[in-house]
Amino acid sequence: MHSAIRRTSIVALSAAALVAACSKSENNADSARLADSAAAAAAAPAGSTTTATAAPTLTDANIVAVVDEANMADSATGSVAATKGTNSEVKSFGRDMMRDHHALRKMGQDLAKKLNVTPQPPANDSSEARDKAWVDSLKAMPKGTAFDKAYIDHEVGAHTQVLATLHTAQTAAQNAELKDLITKAIPTIESHLKKAQDIQSKLQSASTP
């Protein structure tokens, strides 16, 4: 295995765990989390003041950590939505996220253990604190249509960012097994995003007079 990984020594993988694998304020919080990684920077749209060259290159240890955190966060928020959601599709989606991201996280952790890779978040990463704040906010929010909308809006933003992160990680990963795991996880995240967007559209239509 790559000596650089050993020295550094899981979507993150929400890639390690990822593999495994929202209201405007929630979207901003999640985007900020992923912006902490080089993946988010690399995915910045044309014209952005942030450039890929300004971001550090993700190591396999970074990838494992970023995706693991993302998977853990989505599993946790899914658990809250499965309990507090009032819309049947929101509740079902929450259960799916809880199940799928837990499984992805386990897969990522198992691979990291096999490869002897110790998760190492990118420099100045504050995703753990941001994710905890969002989960706490979701738990404190009362049940109702506002909760459902906030959760689904967050999920659309989160999966959009995670997908961008995974594509970047797919290119940056040095270990072949890690790269393969990310490649296999991408379709799952794409499916989650499509479903979240579909539910978001239905909730918006229902709230329109």
Side-chain angles (χ1 to χ4, degrees), residues 41-61:
S48 171
T49 55
T50 300
T51 63
T53 55
T57 299
L58 288 176
T59 65
D60 284 8

Side-chain angles (χ1 to χ4, degrees), residues 42-204:
S48 171
T49 55
T50 300
T51 63
T53 55
T57 299
L58 288 176
T59 65
D60 284 8
N62 290 159
I63 292 171
V64 168
V66 168
V67 182
D68 182 68
E69 173 61 30
N71 280 322
M72 178 176 67
D74 223 342
S75 179
T77 56
S79 179
V80 178
T83 301
K84 297 183 66 173
T86 53
N87 179 281
S88 61
E89 288 192 78
V90 170
K91 291 176 71 70
S92 178
F93 185 81
R95 287 192 293 269
D96 289 347
M97 295 307 97
M98 181 171 58
R99 180 196 63 227
D100 293 356
H101 285 281
H102 174 77
L104 287 177
R105 190 180 188 208
K106 179 65 165 55
M107 291 170 63
Q109 291 176 331
D110 288 347
L111 179 61
K113 182 177 181 180
K114 174 185 176 181
L115 301 179
N116 193 31
V117 175
T118 298
Q120 179 63 55
N124 302 316
D125 180 85
S126 59
S127 60
E128 184 176 355
R130 288 199 176 98
D131 287 339
K132 183 180 184 305
W134 165 239
V135 173
D136 289 345
S137 175
L138 206 58
K139 288 180 177 179
M141 199 178 301
K143 291 184 177 182
T145 56
F147 173 93
D148 292 347
K149 184 178 185 302
Y151 171 68
I152 288 299
D153 285 350
H154 178 279
E155 288 302 290
V156 170
H159 283 83
T160 296
Q161 290 295 333
V162 168
L163 190 57
T165 297
L166 293 184
H167 280 298
T168 297
Q170 184 179 38
T171 298
Q174 295 298 302
N175 182 274
E177 289 185 76
L178 178 57
K179 187 184 291 287
D180 184 57
L181 185 58
I182 296 171
T183 298
K184 291 178 178 178
I186 288 177
T188 296
I189 303 305
E190 290 177 331
S191 176
H192 288 174
L193 175 57
K194 185 176 184 303
K195 182 61 177 178
Q197 291 173 323
D198 180 58
I199 297 174
Q200 181 184 55
S201 178
K202 291 179 180 178
L203 292 179
Q204 292 175 337

Side-chain angles (χ1 to χ4, degrees), residues 9-25:
S9 41
I10 327 153
V11 215
L13 220 218
S14 238
L18 90 62
V19 175
C22 90
S23 90
K24 293 184 178 180
S25 61

